[in-house]
Amino acid sequence: MAVTIAEVAAAAGVSTSTVSRCFATPELVRGDTRLKVLGVAASLGYTPNRIARSLAVGRSRSIALIVPDIANLFFGRIVKSAQSRARTKDYAVFLADTDERAREEYDLAVAMGKQVDGLLLVSPRMSEEQLHDIAERTPTVLVNRPLAGRSCVLVPSTEGMWQAVQHLYALGHRHCAHIAGARGSWSSERRSLAVREACEEFGMTLTEFGPYEPFFSSGVRAADPLIASGATAVVAHNDIVALGVVSRLNERRVSVPGDISVVGADDTLLARAASPPLTSVRIPLEEVGRRSADLLLDLLAPGEVPPPVEEVRVETELIVRRSTGPVRQEPGTRTS
Amino acid sequence: MAVTIAEVAAAAGVSTSTVSRCFATPELVRGDTRLKVLGVAASLGYTPNRIARSLAVGRSRSIALIVPDIANLFFGRIVKSAQSRARTKDYAVFLADTDERAREEYDLAVAMGKQVDGLLLVSPRMSEEQLHDIAERTPTVLVNRPLAGRSCVLVPSTEGMWQAVQHLYALGHRHCAHIAGARGSWSSERRSLAVREACEEFGMTLTEFGPYEPFFSSGVRAADPLIASGATAVVAHNDIVALGVVSRLNERRVSVPGDISVVGADDTLLARAASPPLTSVRIPLEEVGRRSADLLLDLLAPGEVPPPVEEVRVETELIVRRSTGPVRQEPGTRTS
DNA sequence: TTGAAAGCGCTACCAT
DNA sequence: ATGGTAGCGCTTTCAA
């Protein structure tokens, strides 16, 4: 059994209250007493029992991160920075992965919500009612999902998607395809909308495909209809899907960027590591993780009286790489 | 405030002991009483407070996963499956990322070890003394790091690396390079050793580079010395590094696999998504996560008296893709 | 089969 | 500035 506060108190010749104060509110203890207690505690190897403290205080100093898929680099990077940020503020972080199953999100969030002080829901797909219900019970911050009256960190990607279309237009493309992301995903909708608006603005023909789940296989599947559509450029919902497209295009002997230009999104490692490297819309995912963690921890801070509802938006930008190139031929003349 | 056991007891007209039993040991309660209590509990929306239970029982029904880098697909996949497995057994999972900083591993593990029932250390780099010290205090399972008398899940990759060399030899390569992984990493050492032994067996010349941290930039950096070495094939420590190499080779106008064949390891999404797709050594990471979680939870099971020390090894195999090809020219004649 | 009550380790209020 | 003590919500003997 670990050393308890009572043993420290006995060994230091003070009461348990004093020992407790030395750790919780050191400024309320006289200098020499504190030094003595801390010394005894150290020599005994005492460390406060967080569980006991949680029970007494009613707060656990822990938060839970709920994400659709940790093995997706997009979420991996968010989790990494959010987790790191939370730990610097002495919050422990629970992680739960819904495996892209929207159905289980709610139950999971409710269950986790009871054992933590706050919830960070990343790209949740559940209904607004369910989200409100959860936020009502546990302080919650949403990532990539707006909700009236709740704190959220949003990445509409509008600017980046617009830049992507502008880039393609400038290269001579006039028929663009878009491969949309998952149904029910707010960021998918925003990205699709941004592409649609940009194409309209530039007078480009747009063919839309989707929704597709964010898997490599989705891109592979989307490639054939894409070829058939006659589009010479494609903006995919994200890098994974984009590379699935590239893979299938290679198989079909369609050259990238010779015959078709491909743009991804998220600018994950995949984009840089691909050959040719993928032009992609950069999302500051580390910033997203950091700011969402900060937002949540602020909500939990005892000082704050009126929980500040904020809507943080981060900037996105197009990173141009070799996967996009000028139009080489007229649409429709391709033999494949 | 949430509903407590006392309120349920009052409403059901029984004692708190009985309510407690209904949830913990239902078989010790008479059928009708149990039904009644459970009914009342449900109607009141009661759920046991895990923190209070933890304090009373002395166990938290939670484990911690400590990994070097969650944003690395290798660890991401392990975390994903381990986490999922633990949750099916009603264990909550803490996640902590050391950001590849071996120095902080120990302190982190010690700190986390106090608030959880068990620790899953993935590819730890700390010293054996430190590992023993931690395992002594908290039930621990190691992944990718053997330790006398402790449970661990190991992936020596020997078979897969051997197959890689055999494959390259069969394609006509006679001079192979190896780009080693991080210093202090057990799996790096094992992989290097396996390549060394295989090259010797096949009578191939081997040039070794490294150690390199598992980053894309490491591969980029390793490519130039690789070219200078005159090797026609390279086995990289993992996919990320391999793709860094490919990227730089492309820049240098060295064709893959025309001039140099490249083999990666881990067979992450990166390998499949690359163009040309990367030949890679497949590691059953989901199995690693699942089995390590199982091992740990078995250690924690109350039934077990003598903690079974196991050493689980999983099988690896080479997945051949287009990044490897026959030798096109004699070593040394390349002009680059 | 059920109940009473003593903790689990810590905090926080109330005294002093 | 310090001590006494009543909980926090649940589990677990021990009795009945």
Side-chain angles (χ1 to χ4, degrees), chain B residues 17-58:
Chain B
S17 323
T18 302
V19 178
S20 173
R21 286 191 195 99
C22 284
F23 288 90
T25 50
E27 66 280 8
L28 295 185
V29 179
R30 215 197 317 132
D32 53 338
T33 344
R34 187 195 327 149
L35 243 51
K36 168 144 189 225
V37 171
L38 256 26
V40 172
S43 74
L44 256 47
Y46 168 81
T47 39
N49 178 324
R50 290 180 69 127
I51 304 248
R53 176 184 305 198
S54 299
L55 182 58
V57 185

mmCIF file of all heavy atoms in Angstrom, chain B residues 17-58:
data_model
loop_
_atom_site.group_PDB
_atom_site.id
_atom_site.type_symbol
_atom_site.label_atom_id
_atom_site.label_comp_id
_atom_site.label_asym_id
_atom_site.label_seq_id
_atom_site.Cartn_x
_atom_site.Cartn_y
_atom_site.Cartn_z
ATOM 1 N N SER B 17 -26.114 -1.450 0.887
ATOM 2 C CA SER B 17 -25.364 -2.686 0.628
ATOM 3 C C SER B 17 -26.038 -3.472 -0.483
ATOM 4 O O SER B 17 -25.390 -3.987 -1.395
ATOM 5 C CB SER B 17 -25.312 -3.556 1.870
ATOM 6 O OG SER B 17 -25.187 -2.776 3.019
ATOM 7 N N THR B 18 -27.320 -3.575 -0.373
ATOM 8 C CA THR B 18 -28.059 -4.366 -1.356
ATOM 9 C C THR B 18 -27.960 -3.751 -2.750
ATOM 10 O O THR B 18 -27.766 -4.460 -3.741
ATOM 11 C CB THR B 18 -29.530 -4.479 -0.933
ATOM 12 O OG1 THR B 18 -29.591 -5.073 0.358
ATOM 13 C CG2 THR B 18 -30.303 -5.330 -1.916
ATOM 14 N N VAL B 19 -28.101 -2.458 -2.790
ATOM 15 C CA VAL B 19 -27.987 -1.801 -4.095
ATOM 16 C C VAL B 19 -26.607 -2.065 -4.666
ATOM 17 O O VAL B 19 -26.445 -2.426 -5.841
ATOM 18 C CB VAL B 19 -28.210 -0.283 -3.966
ATOM 19 C CG1 VAL B 19 -28.036 0.378 -5.330
ATOM 20 C CG2 VAL B 19 -29.581 0.005 -3.391
ATOM 21 N N SER B 20 -25.616 -1.905 -3.829
ATOM 22 C CA SER B 20 -24.247 -2.135 -4.272
ATOM 23 C C SER B 20 -24.110 -3.547 -4.833
ATOM 24 O O SER B 20 -23.554 -3.751 -5.908
ATOM 25 C CB SER B 20 -23.299 -1.944 -3.095
ATOM 26 O OG SER B 20 -21.988 -2.304 -3.458
ATOM 27 N N ARG B 21 -24.630 -4.516 -4.102
ATOM 28 C CA ARG B 21 -24.543 -5.911 -4.550
ATOM 29 C C ARG B 21 -25.230 -6.124 -5.893
ATOM 30 O O ARG B 21 -24.769 -6.917 -6.708
ATOM 31 C CB ARG B 21 -25.179 -6.831 -3.514
ATOM 32 C CG ARG B 21 -24.326 -7.018 -2.286
ATOM 33 C CD ARG B 21 -24.849 -8.138 -1.410
ATOM 34 N NE ARG B 21 -24.235 -8.064 -0.087
ATOM 35 C CZ ARG B 21 -24.831 -7.527 0.966
ATOM 36 N NH1 ARG B 21 -26.056 -7.026 0.864
ATOM 37 N NH2 ARG B 21 -24.206 -7.484 2.127
ATOM 38 N N CYS B 22 -26.334 -5.446 -6.073
ATOM 39 C CA CYS B 22 -27.072 -5.616 -7.331
ATOM 40 C C CYS B 22 -26.180 -5.312 -8.541
ATOM 41 O O CYS B 22 -26.347 -5.876 -9.612
ATOM 42 C CB CYS B 22 -28.292 -4.717 -7.380
ATOM 43 S SG CYS B 22 -29.637 -5.320 -6.370
ATOM 44 N N PHE B 23 -25.231 -4.394 -8.350
ATOM 45 C CA PHE B 23 -24.360 -4.035 -9.470
ATOM 46 C C PHE B 23 -23.070 -4.847 -9.476
ATOM 47 O O PHE B 23 -22.583 -5.231 -10.527
ATOM 48 C CB PHE B 23 -24.034 -2.541 -9.427
ATOM 49 C CG PHE B 23 -25.205 -1.685 -9.808
ATOM 50 C CD1 PHE B 23 -26.106 -1.236 -8.857
ATOM 51 C CD2 PHE B 23 -25.424 -1.362 -11.144
ATOM 52 C CE1 PHE B 23 -27.201 -0.461 -9.222
ATOM 53 C CE2 PHE B 23 -26.515 -0.591 -11.516
ATOM 54 C CZ PHE B 23 -27.409 -0.142 -10.554
ATOM 55 N N ALA B 24 -22.533 -5.091 -8.301
ATOM 56 C CA ALA B 24 -21.249 -5.782 -8.237
ATOM 57 C C ALA B 24 -21.388 -7.297 -8.268
ATOM 58 O O ALA B 24 -20.723 -7.980 -9.039
ATOM 59 C CB ALA B 24 -20.499 -5.347 -6.987
ATOM 60 N N THR B 25 -22.267 -7.838 -7.432
ATOM 61 C CA THR B 25 -22.440 -9.292 -7.353
ATOM 62 C C THR B 25 -23.923 -9.646 -7.346
ATOM 63 O O THR B 25 -24.462 -10.049 -6.308
ATOM 64 C CB THR B 25 -21.778 -9.836 -6.073
ATOM 65 O OG1 THR B 25 -22.242 -9.045 -4.957
ATOM 66 C CG2 THR B 25 -20.279 -9.782 -6.145
ATOM 67 N N PRO B 26 -24.557 -9.490 -8.492
ATOM 68 C CA PRO B 26 -26.006 -9.679 -8.620
ATOM 69 C C PRO B 26 -26.467 -11.061 -8.135
ATOM 70 O O PRO B 26 -27.598 -11.198 -7.653
ATOM 71 C CB PRO B 26 -26.268 -9.533 -10.119
ATOM 72 C CG PRO B 26 -25.006 -9.107 -10.742
ATOM 73 C CD PRO B 26 -23.912 -9.209 -9.760
ATOM 74 N N GLU B 27 -25.596 -12.051 -8.249
ATOM 75 C CA GLU B 27 -26.009 -13.401 -7.879
ATOM 76 C C GLU B 27 -26.213 -13.547 -6.374
ATOM 77 O O GLU B 27 -26.819 -14.520 -5.909
ATOM 78 C CB GLU B 27 -24.987 -14.430 -8.380
ATOM 79 C CG GLU B 27 -23.607 -14.349 -7.742
ATOM 80 C CD GLU B 27 -22.751 -13.248 -8.368
ATOM 81 O OE1 GLU B 27 -23.292 -12.458 -9.184
ATOM 82 O OE2 GLU B 27 -21.551 -13.180 -8.044
ATOM 83 N N LEU B 28 -25.763 -12.578 -5.613
ATOM 84 C CA LEU B 28 -25.934 -12.651 -4.159
ATOM 85 C C LEU B 28 -27.232 -11.977 -3.704
ATOM 86 O O LEU B 28 -27.451 -11.802 -2.508
ATOM 87 C CB LEU B 28 -24.748 -11.995 -3.444
ATOM 88 C CG LEU B 28 -23.384 -12.681 -3.621
ATOM 89 C CD1 LEU B 28 -22.330 -12.012 -2.762
ATOM 90 C CD2 LEU B 28 -23.501 -14.163 -3.270
ATOM 91 N N VAL B 29 -28.031 -11.562 -4.672
ATOM 92 C CA VAL B 29 -29.271 -10.874 -4.310
ATOM 93 C C VAL B 29 -30.466 -11.678 -4.831
ATOM 94 O O VAL B 29 -30.406 -12.219 -5.936
ATOM 95 C CB VAL B 29 -29.295 -9.470 -4.928
ATOM 96 C CG1 VAL B 29 -30.598 -8.760 -4.583
ATOM 97 C CG2 VAL B 29 -28.102 -8.666 -4.450
ATOM 98 N N ARG B 30 -31.493 -11.780 -4.051
ATOM 99 C CA ARG B 30 -32.657 -12.530 -4.481
ATOM 100 C C ARG B 30 -33.265 -11.890 -5.732
ATOM 101 O O ARG B 30 -33.282 -10.657 -5.858
ATOM 102 C CB ARG B 30 -33.699 -12.599 -3.371
ATOM 103 C CG ARG B 30 -34.441 -13.944 -3.381
ATOM 104 C CD ARG B 30 -35.735 -13.918 -2.601
ATOM 105 N NE ARG B 30 -35.611 -13.214 -1.331
ATOM 106 C CZ ARG B 30 -36.478 -12.294 -0.939
ATOM 107 N NH1 ARG B 30 -37.488 -11.942 -1.729
ATOM 108 N NH2 ARG B 30 -36.339 -11.729 0.229
ATOM 109 N N GLY B 31 -33.740 -12.745 -6.615
ATOM 110 C CA GLY B 31 -34.267 -12.297 -7.905
ATOM 111 C C GLY B 31 -35.172 -11.089 -7.869
ATOM 112 O O GLY B 31 -34.916 -10.071 -8.522
ATOM 113 N N ASP B 32 -36.216 -11.147 -7.064
ATOM 114 C CA ASP B 32 -37.184 -10.047 -7.089
ATOM 115 C C ASP B 32 -36.614 -8.756 -6.520
ATOM 116 O O ASP B 32 -36.880 -7.668 -7.009
ATOM 117 C CB ASP B 32 -38.462 -10.458 -6.340
ATOM 118 C CG ASP B 32 -38.154 -10.952 -4.941
ATOM 119 O OD1 ASP B 32 -36.996 -11.373 -4.710
ATOM 120 O OD2 ASP B 32 -39.038 -10.910 -4.081
ATOM 121 N N THR B 33 -35.795 -8.894 -5.483
ATOM 122 C CA THR B 33 -35.172 -7.681 -4.925
ATOM 123 C C THR B 33 -34.311 -7.022 -5.993
ATOM 124 O O THR B 33 -34.366 -5.811 -6.205
ATOM 125 C CB THR B 33 -34.242 -8.031 -3.743
ATOM 126 O OG1 THR B 33 -34.527 -9.345 -3.287
ATOM 127 C CG2 THR B 33 -34.404 -7.033 -2.639
ATOM 128 N N ARG B 34 -33.526 -7.837 -6.631
ATOM 129 C CA ARG B 34 -32.626 -7.324 -7.646
ATOM 130 C C ARG B 34 -33.397 -6.579 -8.742
ATOM 131 O O ARG B 34 -33.073 -5.462 -9.109
ATOM 132 C CB ARG B 34 -31.830 -8.472 -8.271
ATOM 133 C CG ARG B 34 -30.755 -8.004 -9.222
ATOM 134 C CD ARG B 34 -30.242 -9.139 -10.080
ATOM 135 N NE ARG B 34 -30.261 -10.397 -9.350
ATOM 136 C CZ ARG B 34 -30.447 -11.575 -9.917
ATOM 137 N NH1 ARG B 34 -30.625 -11.661 -11.214
ATOM 138 N NH2 ARG B 34 -30.454 -12.666 -9.187
ATOM 139 N N LEU B 35 -34.433 -7.238 -9.209
ATOM 140 C CA LEU B 35 -35.253 -6.646 -10.270
ATOM 141 C C LEU B 35 -35.783 -5.290 -9.828
ATOM 142 O O LEU B 35 -35.739 -4.305 -10.568
ATOM 143 C CB LEU B 35 -36.412 -7.591 -10.601
ATOM 144 C CG LEU B 35 -36.400 -8.124 -12.036
ATOM 145 C CD1 LEU B 35 -35.032 -8.716 -12.361
ATOM 146 C CD2 LEU B 35 -37.485 -9.183 -12.231
ATOM 147 N N LYS B 36 -36.289 -5.267 -8.628
ATOM 148 C CA LYS B 36 -36.857 -4.035 -8.113
ATOM 149 C C LYS B 36 -35.811 -2.928 -8.039
ATOM 150 O O LYS B 36 -36.004 -1.820 -8.533
ATOM 151 C CB LYS B 36 -37.413 -4.292 -6.711
ATOM 152 C CG LYS B 36 -37.771 -3.043 -5.961
ATOM 153 C CD LYS B 36 -38.983 -3.252 -5.115
ATOM 154 C CE LYS B 36 -39.470 -1.935 -4.533
ATOM 155 N NZ LYS B 36 -39.792 -2.109 -3.101
ATOM 156 N N VAL B 37 -34.683 -3.263 -7.409
ATOM 157 C CA VAL B 37 -33.606 -2.279 -7.261
ATOM 158 C C VAL B 37 -33.137 -1.770 -8.623
ATOM 159 O O VAL B 37 -33.008 -0.560 -8.833
ATOM 160 C CB VAL B 37 -32.408 -2.901 -6.507
ATOM 161 C CG1 VAL B 37 -31.212 -1.969 -6.556
ATOM 162 C CG2 VAL B 37 -32.807 -3.189 -5.073
ATOM 163 N N LEU B 38 -32.900 -2.699 -9.513
ATOM 164 C CA LEU B 38 -32.426 -2.318 -10.842
ATOM 165 C C LEU B 38 -33.452 -1.419 -11.539
ATOM 166 O O LEU B 38 -33.091 -0.454 -12.227
ATOM 167 C CB LEU B 38 -32.166 -3.578 -11.685
ATOM 168 C CG LEU B 38 -30.698 -3.988 -11.870
ATOM 169 C CD1 LEU B 38 -29.816 -3.504 -10.723
ATOM 170 C CD2 LEU B 38 -30.573 -5.494 -12.042
ATOM 171 N N GLY B 39 -34.720 -1.747 -11.320
ATOM 172 C CA GLY B 39 -35.781 -0.930 -11.916
ATOM 173 C C GLY B 39 -35.734 0.489 -11.377
ATOM 174 O O GLY B 39 -35.728 1.469 -12.138
ATOM 175 N N VAL B 40 -35.688 0.596 -10.054
ATOM 176 C CA VAL B 40 -35.635 1.915 -9.421
ATOM 177 C C VAL B 40 -34.392 2.681 -9.891
ATOM 178 O O VAL B 40 -34.464 3.858 -10.230
ATOM 179 C CB VAL B 40 -35.596 1.770 -7.885
ATOM 180 C CG1 VAL B 40 -35.331 3.118 -7.239
ATOM 181 C CG2 VAL B 40 -36.898 1.175 -7.381
ATOM 182 N N ALA B 41 -33.259 1.973 -9.919
ATOM 183 C CA ALA B 41 -32.009 2.604 -10.340
ATOM 184 C C ALA B 41 -32.160 3.169 -11.750
ATOM 185 O O ALA B 41 -31.784 4.317 -12.013
ATOM 186 C CB ALA B 41 -30.869 1.588 -10.298
ATOM 187 N N ALA B 42 -32.728 2.364 -12.614
ATOM 188 C CA ALA B 42 -32.897 2.807 -13.995
ATOM 189 C C ALA B 42 -33.804 4.024 -14.070
ATOM 190 O O ALA B 42 -33.499 5.000 -14.755
ATOM 191 C CB ALA B 42 -33.453 1.671 -14.841
ATOM 192 N N SER B 43 -34.902 3.970 -13.348
ATOM 193 C CA SER B 43 -35.853 5.087 -13.423
ATOM 194 C C SER B 43 -35.270 6.364 -12.833
ATOM 195 O O SER B 43 -35.645 7.468 -13.213
ATOM 196 C CB SER B 43 -37.148 4.713 -12.714
ATOM 197 O OG SER B 43 -36.948 4.732 -11.318
ATOM 198 N N LEU B 44 -34.337 6.199 -11.921
ATOM 199 C CA LEU B 44 -33.696 7.377 -11.319
ATOM 200 C C LEU B 44 -32.486 7.817 -12.144
ATOM 201 O O LEU B 44 -31.906 8.871 -11.903
ATOM 202 C CB LEU B 44 -33.237 7.039 -9.894
ATOM 203 C CG LEU B 44 -34.068 7.580 -8.731
ATOM 204 C CD1 LEU B 44 -35.538 7.311 -8.985
ATOM 205 C CD2 LEU B 44 -33.635 6.934 -7.444
ATOM 206 N N GLY B 45 -32.111 6.991 -13.093
ATOM 207 C CA GLY B 45 -30.947 7.307 -13.917
ATOM 208 C C GLY B 45 -29.656 7.143 -13.155
ATOM 209 O O GLY B 45 -28.683 7.863 -13.372
ATOM 210 N N TYR B 46 -29.661 6.179 -12.269
ATOM 211 C CA TYR B 46 -28.456 5.957 -11.478
ATOM 212 C C TYR B 46 -27.394 5.164 -12.219
ATOM 213 O O TYR B 46 -27.697 4.198 -12.905
ATOM 214 C CB TYR B 46 -28.802 5.204 -10.188
ATOM 215 C CG TYR B 46 -27.592 4.682 -9.465
ATOM 216 C CD1 TYR B 46 -26.833 5.521 -8.653
ATOM 217 C CD2 TYR B 46 -27.189 3.358 -9.618
ATOM 218 C CE1 TYR B 46 -25.705 5.045 -8.010
ATOM 219 C CE2 TYR B 46 -26.053 2.872 -8.974
ATOM 220 C CZ TYR B 46 -25.313 3.723 -8.171
ATOM 221 O OH TYR B 46 -24.195 3.253 -7.544
ATOM 222 N N THR B 47 -26.164 5.598 -12.099
ATOM 223 C CA THR B 47 -25.037 4.785 -12.569
ATOM 224 C C THR B 47 -23.960 4.892 -11.503
ATOM 225 O O THR B 47 -23.738 5.964 -10.952
ATOM 226 C CB THR B 47 -24.436 5.302 -13.887
ATOM 227 O OG1 THR B 47 -24.419 6.721 -13.869
ATOM 228 C CG2 THR B 47 -25.214 4.787 -15.086
ATOM 229 N N PRO B 48 -23.305 3.792 -11.222
ATOM 230 C CA PRO B 48 -22.285 3.797 -10.176
ATOM 231 C C PRO B 48 -21.206 4.825 -10.468
ATOM 232 O O PRO B 48 -20.829 5.028 -11.612
ATOM 233 C CB PRO B 48 -21.707 2.376 -10.240
ATOM 234 C CG PRO B 48 -22.714 1.554 -10.960
ATOM 235 C CD PRO B 48 -23.463 2.485 -11.855
ATOM 236 N N ASN B 49 -20.739 5.456 -9.436
ATOM 237 C CA ASN B 49 -19.653 6.421 -9.553
ATOM 238 C C ASN B 49 -18.329 5.657 -9.535
ATOM 239 O O ASN B 49 -17.936 5.086 -8.526
ATOM 240 C CB ASN B 49 -19.738 7.396 -8.378
ATOM 241 C CG ASN B 49 -18.623 8.402 -8.391
ATOM 242 O OD1 ASN B 49 -17.497 8.092 -8.761
ATOM 243 N ND2 ASN B 49 -18.938 9.625 -7.992
ATOM 244 N N ARG B 50 -17.660 5.684 -10.679
ATOM 245 C CA ARG B 50 -16.441 4.883 -10.809
ATOM 246 C C ARG B 50 -15.325 5.354 -9.888
ATOM 247 O O ARG B 50 -14.499 4.571 -9.436
ATOM 248 C CB ARG B 50 -15.945 4.896 -12.257
ATOM 249 C CG ARG B 50 -16.846 4.113 -13.193
ATOM 250 C CD ARG B 50 -16.344 4.132 -14.619
ATOM 251 N NE ARG B 50 -15.108 3.381 -14.792
ATOM 252 C CZ ARG B 50 -14.931 2.422 -15.708
ATOM 253 N NH1 ARG B 50 -15.923 2.086 -16.506
ATOM 254 N NH2 ARG B 50 -13.780 1.804 -15.815
ATOM 255 N N ILE B 51 -15.288 6.643 -9.654
ATOM 256 C CA ILE B 51 -14.227 7.171 -8.802
ATOM 257 C C ILE B 51 -14.400 6.660 -7.372
ATOM 258 O O ILE B 51 -13.461 6.187 -6.745
ATOM 259 C CB ILE B 51 -14.254 8.717 -8.791
ATOM 260 C CG1 ILE B 51 -14.164 9.241 -10.213
ATOM 261 C CG2 ILE B 51 -13.162 9.252 -7.888
ATOM 262 C CD1 ILE B 51 -12.928 9.960 -10.567
ATOM 263 N N ALA B 52 -15.637 6.765 -6.892
ATOM 264 C CA ALA B 52 -15.902 6.309 -5.519
ATOM 265 C C ALA B 52 -15.618 4.816 -5.414
ATOM 266 O O ALA B 52 -15.027 4.345 -4.445
ATOM 267 C CB ALA B 52 -17.357 6.601 -5.152
ATOM 268 N N ARG B 53 -16.024 4.095 -6.424
ATOM 269 C CA ARG B 53 -15.763 2.662 -6.398
ATOM 270 C C ARG B 53 -14.260 2.398 -6.368
ATOM 271 O O ARG B 53 -13.789 1.550 -5.616
ATOM 272 C CB ARG B 53 -16.386 2.004 -7.626
ATOM 273 C CG ARG B 53 -16.060 0.533 -7.708
ATOM 274 C CD ARG B 53 -16.592 -0.107 -8.956
ATOM 275 N NE ARG B 53 -18.033 0.117 -9.096
ATOM 276 C CZ ARG B 53 -18.797 -0.608 -9.885
ATOM 277 N NH1 ARG B 53 -18.278 -1.596 -10.581
ATOM 278 N NH2 ARG B 53 -20.078 -0.343 -9.989
ATOM 279 N N SER B 54 -13.544 3.149 -7.189
ATOM 280 C CA SER B 54 -12.099 2.960 -7.232
ATOM 281 C C SER B 54 -11.482 3.149 -5.863
ATOM 282 O O SER B 54 -10.630 2.371 -5.435
ATOM 283 C CB SER B 54 -11.464 3.962 -8.200
ATOM 284 O OG SER B 54 -11.960 3.784 -9.492
ATOM 285 N N LEU B 55 -11.910 4.179 -5.203
ATOM 286 C CA LEU B 55 -11.335 4.466 -3.887
ATOM 287 C C LEU B 55 -11.631 3.326 -2.918
ATOM 288 O O LEU B 55 -10.760 2.877 -2.170
ATOM 289 C CB LEU B 55 -11.904 5.769 -3.332
ATOM 290 C CG LEU B 55 -11.323 6.191 -1.984
ATOM 291 C CD1 LEU B 55 -9.812 6.348 -2.101
ATOM 292 C CD2 LEU B 55 -11.954 7.474 -1.497
ATOM 293 N N ALA B 56 -12.850 2.840 -2.959
ATOM 294 C CA ALA B 56 -13.236 1.782 -2.034
ATOM 295 C C ALA B 56 -12.522 0.469 -2.352
ATOM 296 O O ALA B 56 -12.056 -0.227 -1.460
ATOM 297 C CB ALA B 56 -14.752 1.584 -2.083
ATOM 298 N N VAL B 57 -12.460 0.147 -3.628
ATOM 299 C CA VAL B 57 -11.888 -1.137 -4.033
ATOM 300 C C VAL B 57 -10.368 -1.113 -4.122
ATOM 301 O O VAL B 57 -9.718 -2.142 -4.006
ATOM 302 C CB VAL B 57 -12.470 -1.563 -5.404
ATOM 303 C CG1 VAL B 57 -11.976 -2.939 -5.777
ATOM 304 C CG2 VAL B 57 -13.960 -1.521 -5.350
ATOM 305 N N GLY B 58 -9.838 0.079 -4.352
ATOM 306 C CA GLY B 58 -8.396 0.162 -4.482
ATOM 307 C C GLY B 58 -7.917 -0.070 -5.901
ATOM 308 O O GLY B 58 -6.721 -0.146 -6.162
#
